[in-house]
Amino acid sequence: GNAASLGTYYKTKSGFAFGLGANYMASAPISGAGEGGAPLESFKSSDINAHLGLSYRIVKGLSLGVSAKFVHSALTPSLSSIAFGADVNLAYRNKGLSAALGVANLGSKLKYGESEVSLPAMARLGLAYSVFGLQVSAEVDQLFSGGTMAGAGLEYNLLDILFFRAGYHFSSPTKAAGASFASVGLGARFAGIELNVSYLLASESMAGMLAFGLGYSF
């Protein structure tokens, strides 16, 4: 399969920040059969997620953010659906400590013919602490459908130029979307340009995936 993402944000001196982003995911080619068993041309299922975000700094270190999103999901060339959702987050930062609490994917359902699928609505809690170039982070996501996802990570920052990362993501095997996996990664930043690469392992379905990210700050 393939995946790609793109995003940008802008901060104002008055405490507001605006963000735009989009994600695209496509499966590996799938083959199937139509009516009477006639073979169909191979196709890819795909998902597109675009969002527009706004945040406001309430007081120093504390901010509130709201994001509206558009989702397009195609299971087959003739079976697709759209949905709209929203995220709300409260974030706190003081020196090396960061914390965030919020809800995600509140919105309409994806409708495929006679079937309906809810967006994976969830409550989220994240914590991170940085000291001497080392950052430790953890996050827990509780799906309203009953599943649980969690993750933990380590990042070492060398002179704000090189970044060494490792982490693990857990999904409960029943209701939570996605799979459990481990990851290792490297990052580099110079003259405002940031390049990141990560490799997934310890997963039957996702092991061997390689992801790249490119960013620019100004």
Side-chain angles (χ1 to χ4, degrees), residues 69-152:
K69 62 178 61 177
F70 165 81
V71 179
H72 178 274
S73 177
L75 297 181
T76 70
S78 60
L79 192 60
S80 62
S81 181
I82 63 173
F84 298 91
D87 302 344
V88 181
N89 295 285
L90 191 65
Y92 174 76
R93 178 175 294 179
N94 182 22
K95 297 181 180 179
L97 176 66
S98 299
L101 176 66
V103 290
N105 298 322
L106 303 177
S108 60
K109 296 182 178 181
L110 293 165
K111 298 181 180 181
Y112 305 102
E114 300 297 324
S115 301
E116 292 185 342
V117 179
S118 299
L119 297 178
M122 67 185 79
R124 317 185 77 171
L125 172 64
L127 296 170
Y129 186 73
S130 301
V131 58
F132 301 122
L134 180 66
Q135 182 183 81
V136 182
S137 61
E139 180 178 321
V140 177
D141 303 332
Q142 181 61 47
L143 277 76
F144 295 163
S145 63
T148 302
M149 296 184 291

Side-chain angles (χ1 to χ4, degrees), residues 153-187:
L154 290 172
E155 177 186 89
Y156 180 68
N157 175 349
L158 181 62
L159 303 176
D160 205 32
I161 297 176
L162 294 176
F163 303 84
F164 304 88
R165 304 180 178 109
Y168 185 77
H169 173 84
F170 166 81
S171 288
S172 56
T174 52
K175 295 183 178 180
S180 298
F181 59 88
S183 64
V184 291
L186 293 172

